[in-house]
Amino acid sequence: MQIPLVDLRANYLSIKKDIDQAIQKNIANQAFIMGSEVAEFEEVFANFNESKFAISVANGTEGIHLALQAIDIKAGDEIITCPTTFIATIEPIFYLGAKAIFVDCEGKTGNIDAKKIEKAITKKTKAIILVHLNGHPCEMNPIMKIVYKYKLKLIEDCSHAHGSSYNGKKVGNFGDIGVFSLFPAKILGAYGDAGIMVTNDMKLMESLKLLRDHGRLSKYEHKIICYNCRLDTLQAAILLAKMPHLKKWIKRRKDISSYYSKHLNSCVSIPPQFQIGEQAFYMYVIRTPNRDGLKEYLAKKGISTVIHYPTPLHLQPACKMLGYKKGSFPNAERYSDTILSLPLYPELKNEQLDFVIDAIKKFFALSDKL
Ligand SMILES: *Cc1c(COP(=O)(O)O)cnc(C)c1O
C-alpha cells in the first residue's frame, strides 16, 4: 500500500463536477482580474471565520507583508515571533527593513512560549507575529495581556489553522490582522498560490484593499504607492467551490487525528489535546526520540511522512545576521529534532489509517526487542 502525506487528487475527484464547472464558468466569462468570484469568496470566507472583513491576496507570504505594512511597520522596528515556523512568517519583516526577534517555543505544541515573550520586549518592539502551529491555537489569554500592556500590534499567521478557535473565538480575530495561506496543500487550498487576510477593523480593511491593488480608489486614481498582489479570479472560483465542504473536511481531519492519538498514545508523544477550543489539524505531528529510524521504516512500507520543519529559523543560513546559534532556543531545536508529520487528509481511508498505525506499532515492537 502507498500512502502519501496528502492526496490532492483524491480531494479533486471528490468534488470534480463543482470544480470543473467553476473553472469553465470563469473561462467563459473571461473575467480573470477581480472578477465577481473574488468578492464572493471573500464574503464566504469572512462568514466562515466569523470576521467582519476578509481581503484576498496573491499568496500567504504577501498577506503577511501587506499586514505588516498596514500596521505601519518601518525599518528598525522589532517584531517578536517564534523560530518553529516556515520562513514565510519572517521574510516580510526583513523586506520592510524591520528585525525579527525570536522567542523560544513551548515544548509540546511548538507554539511561542507566552511566558518568555515579555523578556524579549524592548523600546523598539512594535508587534508580535503568532503562528498557530499545526492548527493548535497559541495561548491567547496571556498573550493578549502582553499585547495590551505594551500597546503592541498583533498579526496572526493562521496558515495552519483554518477553522481553529480559542475560547469560542476563531483564530485570526485576536490580532489586528489574521493571515491564511491558501497554498494547495493547506487545510483550504487553491490550485496555485493564494491567500486571504481577515480583520475586524474597517480602516485596516481599507488599507489592505489599497495595498493589494495599486493603491486604487478607482481604475486610474491611486491614493498611495502600493503594489499588485491580487488573488486570481480563477483561484477564487476554485476556492469558492470548495467552501461548502470545508467544515466537513476539518471534522474528518479531527476524527483521523483522534484515532491516531487513541492508538499511538502508548508508543509516541501524541499532539497535546487542546482543551479550550477547536484545533483544526493541518498536520498530525508526533514526537519521538527515534524519529529518523521511524521515518525510514515507514518509507520502506510505502508511507510518506515529513518533518515540518527540520531546521528552526534561527539556525537557517538566511537568518545568520541575527546572530543566534545552536543552543539559542533549546525547545525549538529539540522540537525540530523529534517531530514527524503523519499522513493526514480528509480522503484518507480507514484501512489506510490502520495500516499506518500498525506499521508504527510494529516499528516500536521491533525496537523494543533490540
Ligand atoms: C504556508 C505558510 C505560509 C505562507 O505561504 P504561501 O506559500 O506564501 O501561501 C506562511 N506561514 C506558514 C506558517 C505557512 O505554513
Side-chain angles (χ1 to χ4, degrees), residues 86-106:
F86 180 56
I87 195 148
T89 307
I90 63 159
E91 283 167 319
I93 300 176
F94 294 100
Y95 233 68
L96 294 169
K99 189 175 177 193
I101 303 291
F102 292 128
V103 166
D104 206 358
C105 70
E106 185 275 316

Side-chain angles (χ1 to χ4, degrees), residues 45-287:
F45 192 86
N47 273 336
F48 164 79
N49 206 60
E50 294 158 17
S51 307
K52 273 195 194 142
F53 309 106
I55 306 94
S56 60
V57 62
N59 57 65
T61 313
E62 269 304 345
I64 295 168
H65 186 192
L66 301 192
L68 292 178
Q69 283 188 296
I71 61 167
D72 214 20
I73 295 303
K74 296 263 187 317
D77 291 345
E78 290 183 357
I79 298 181
I80 290 174
T81 190
C82 189
T84 44
T85 180
F86 180 56
I87 195 148
T89 307
I90 63 159
E91 283 167 319
I93 300 176
F94 294 100
Y95 233 68
L96 294 169
K99 189 175 177 193
I101 303 291
F102 292 128
V103 166
D104 206 358
C105 70
E106 185 275 316
K108 289 185 175 152
T109 59
N111 280 336
I112 194 165
D113 188 341
K115 293 187 293 299
K116 294 184 180 151
I117 295 176
E118 245 177 313
K119 258 211 223 133
I121 294 175
T122 71
K123 282 204 181 80
K124 291 184 185 166
T125 310
K126 287 284 158 59
I128 299 176
I129 303 184
L130 293 180
V131 182
H132 304 292
L133 200 66
N134 306 313
H136 190 112
C138 294
E139 294 176 76
M140 296 316 299
N141 279 344
I143 291 171
M144 292 317 290
K145 277 195 192 131
I146 295 167
V147 166
Y148 291 131
K149 182 172 168 191
Y150 294 92
K151 298 190 171 57
L152 300 177
K153 301 284 184 187
L154 178 64
I155 304 296
E156 297 173 75
D157 181 346
C158 305
S159 298
H160 294 190
H162 315 63
S164 290
S165 62
Y166 179 99
N167 234 339
K169 187 160 155 179
K170 284 260 164 57
V171 299
N173 294 321
F174 288 87
D176 297 276
I177 300 167
V179 181
F180 296 80
S181 166
L182 304 171
F183 180 85
K186 298 282 155 84
I187 293 175
L188 173 66
Y191 285 5
D193 279 311
I196 195 158
M197 310 168 283
V198 296
T199 183
N200 293 292
D201 182 310
M202 171 103 82
K203 282 217 171 82
L204 287 176
M205 177 273 283
E206 286 167 354
S207 300
L208 292 171
K209 283 195 164 171
L210 290 176
L211 284 163
R212 71 149 178 213
D213 188 18
H214 302 297
R216 264 196 178 119
L217 295 171
S218 63
K219 194 166 166 80
Y220 294 119
E221 194 185 356
H222 308 281
K223 188 175 173 184
I224 42 173
I225 292 290
C226 293
Y227 217 63
N228 171 7
C229 22
R230 298 173 300 229
L231 176 67
D232 267 9
T233 310
L234 195 56
Q235 297 303 343
I238 289 163
L239 290 161
L240 200 51
K242 283 187 163 195
M243 283 308 286
H245 307 280
L246 184 54
K247 281 191 178 152
K248 173 183 73 194
W249 290 336
I250 291 169
K251 168 80 169 41
R252 174 68 183 151
R253 283 174 178 275
K254 193 175 173 188
D255 290 346
I256 293 170
S257 299
S258 304
Y259 193 81
Y260 269 140
S261 287
K262 190 171 133 204
H263 292 279
L264 295 178
N265 195 14
S266 57
C267 44
V268 298
S269 297
I270 56 169
Q273 185 150 11
F274 182 54
Q275 304 286 1
I276 44 173
E278 288 290 329
Q279 174 179 8
F281 282 84
Y282 169 51
M283 289 285 152
Y284 183 84
V285 181
I286 56 168
R287 287 171 297 124

